[in-house]
Amino acid sequence: MAAVAAVMAGWGGPSGARAVPMQEQNSIDLIEENYVFGSIKHEVTVYVKVFTNSPFLVCMDLARSHEELIDPKYSWVGPDGKSLKGQKYVNLTETGKLMVMGFKESMSGAYTCTLSHKIIETTTQEEREMSEAYHFMVYAYREADHAYRVLVRFTTRECKLTANDLFFEELKKILNNIISDLRCHIVEPSCKCHSVRLPDQGLRHELFVRFQVSPFAPGWKEVCHQVPYDCEDATNMRVREARDRIGEFFHKQTYALKHQLRIIPTIHYVDSSFSVIRIDSCQPGFGKNDITHRNCASCCVVCSPGTYSPNNEVTCQICPKSQVKVYGATSC
């Protein structure tokens, strides 16, 4: 299996890159500041965040860049097999460096550069033409959208208590009010009563309350339009704040039960029962694959031709009709 080097990029301007080769190749051979060098031994994989500029893809390896080149010529070809010379969305330098600007999912694919140069024999002065091909596989990616699944428990007198349902409805209203200004809300709420036997305490009844904290409450798109290039980052910051507020709410329940309330309510919070796990989702046309994209395993990478993602799931599905020939397909 050929080695593949992966570079993650989120450039809007000069920046560093992170290269994580899968086998053998040392990262120093691939990147240098905002440049990603090619390799004649294997394809170099690069991940570029949508709407940002790619790093400069260099039409040579690092070793070649330190050598003298006579009459060098560079020829770049994009994913559609056409020359990139003169294209408005690329920055192509005279020394063979390529930057793809305002990267979109449709720009994903194979980028190939052919470097041609002359070698002049010292003794005979004979000229020979040499050429080398460098292959880059460039993928658009987005940050995953985060949500949080919460489990919390409350003691109650009995499972058939009428007040249980009223309590659950009131709890949902309170939690939604706490986070509404963040354009977050509670989704998929559920409440089930169980009998729980505790060591040395006998049997008691508890309400198991589950819900998700979602950042997609009405109005979230308007907030997102204020920062379209980093929408996922802004959304994830909002939902993290919502998670923290809800955690603080339940922490205060414990304090109130221990220090403020003289009479314990019939339904009350079970100390330390609050637990939360993060759930990731991807925008339509993007998905996660920790095998194909293991060097960007946490990223939502654009769906490759032959696959699609119609919703906010985290995987790109195979299209059985084989009619999908584009990157980022949302239907089959």
Side-chain angles (χ1 to χ4, degrees), residues 144-145 280-284 286-288 299-301 311-314:
D145 290 315
D280 288 350
S281 63
C282 295
Q283 296 281 332
F286 291 79
K288 290 186 174 186
C299 310
C300 290
V301 181
N311 48 36
N312 293 92
E313 299 294 333
V314 294

Side-chain angles (χ1 to χ4, degrees), residues 22 32 34 54 62 75 137 151 159 178 190 262 265 269 289 330:
M22 293 170 73
E32 190 175 86
N34 196 35
S54 76
L62 185 59
S75 176
M137 195 66 194
L151 169 64
C159 284
I178 290 173
S190 68
R262 294 181 179 179
Y269 173 67
N289 189 319
T330 58

Side-chain angles (χ1 to χ4, degrees), residues 27-299:
S27 61
I28 194 64
D29 296 332
L30 296 171
I31 65 171
E32 190 175 86
E33 296 187 357
N34 196 35
Y35 302 139
V36 180
F37 289 89
S39 173
I40 58 174
K41 296 179 181 179
H42 55 76
E43 182 180 77
V44 176
T45 300
V46 182
Y47 297 93
V48 183
K49 192 173 182 179
V50 291
F51 303 123
T52 68
N53 298 339
S54 76
F56 275 110
L57 309 182
V58 185
C59 189
M60 62 184 69
D61 57 27
L62 185 59
R64 180 70 74 193
S65 70
H66 295 304
E67 297 175 357
E68 179 184 71
L69 292 177
I70 300 175
D71 294 336
K73 296 179 181 178
Y74 311 92
S75 176
W76 278 97
V77 174
D80 59 0
K82 297 180 180 179
S83 173
L84 294 174
K85 187 175 182 180
Q87 297 292 339
K88 294 181 180 180
Y89 60 89
V90 301
N91 179 2
L92 193 55
T93 73
E94 62 180 9
T95 54
K97 299 179 182 69
L98 171 70
M99 174 184 284
V100 186
M101 298 181 293
F103 206 84
K104 302 175 183 177
E105 48 264 52
S106 60
M107 296 176 177
S108 301
Y111 289 77
T112 301
C113 180
T114 301
L115 166 62
S116 302
H117 61 96
K118 292 179 180 178
I119 294 179
I120 302 178
E121 296 291 343
T122 305
T123 55
T124 64
Q125 294 298 299
E126 179 185 355
E127 296 183 5
R128 287 189 294 122
E129 191 80 21
M130 300 289 291
S131 64
E132 301 155 359
Y134 297 90
H135 303 281
F136 298 84
M137 195 66 194
V138 187
Y139 294 99
Y141 82 94
R142 293 177 178 270
E143 300 292 346
D145 290 315
H146 299 162
Y148 293 93
R149 182 177 294 146
V150 175
L151 169 64
V152 63
R153 292 158 64 172
F154 296 84
T155 61
T156 184
R157 183 186 302 150
E158 56 180 289
C159 284
K160 294 182 179 181
L161 192 67
T162 303
N164 292 343
D165 291 336
L166 298 174
F167 167 80
F168 181 50
E169 293 302 317
E170 188 62 26
L171 177 64
K172 288 188 292 183
K173 291 179 183 178
I174 293 172
L175 296 177
N176 274 317
N177 286 336
I178 290 173
I179 62 177
S180 61
D181 63 304
L182 298 171
R183 297 297 187 272
C184 296
H185 64 163
I186 302 302
V187 298
E188 301 182 21
S190 68
C191 179
K192 292 184 179 181
C193 188
H194 298 279
S195 298
V196 180
R197 190 193 72 82
L198 299 174
D200 303 323
Q201 294 186 34
L203 197 68
R204 74 181 186 189
H205 303 289
E206 291 188 4
L207 302 177
F208 285 58
V209 176
R210 293 180 173 85
F211 57 87
Q212 285 190 27
V213 185
S214 167
F216 302 122
W220 75 271
K221 288 186 177 180
E222 287 72 16
V223 175
C224 198
H225 289 160
Q226 299 172 16
V227 282
Y229 289 179
D230 294 303
C231 180
E232 295 90 350
D233 296 336
T235 300
N236 290 339
M237 286 180 63
R238 288 190 292 107
V239 77
R240 279 197 300 271
E241 172 66 19
R243 174 204 63 188
D244 293 344
R245 289 186 188 181
I246 289 174
E248 180 64 19
F249 169 78
F250 287 113
H251 176 73
K252 289 180 178 179
Q253 303 308 303
T254 297
Y255 182 84
L257 287 169
K258 291 182 178 179
H259 305 286
Q260 295 177 339
L261 299 178
R262 294 181 179 179
I263 300 175
I264 303 299
T266 301
I267 303 174
H268 61 270
Y269 173 67
V270 175
D271 187 19
S272 302
S273 68
F274 175 79
S275 65
V276 59
I277 60 172
R278 197 183 82 187
I279 304 169
D280 288 350
S281 63
C282 295
Q283 296 281 332
F286 291 79
K288 290 186 174 186
N289 189 319
D290 57 6
I291 297 177
T292 302
H293 303 295
R294 61 180 177 180
N295 291 319
C296 200
S298 64
C299 310

Side-chain angles (χ1 to χ4, degrees), residues 314-326:
V314 294
T315 57
C316 295
Q317 306 172 34
I318 296 176
C319 180
K321 300 177 183 178
S322 300
Q323 295 177 341
V324 177
K325 299 180 180 179
V326 297

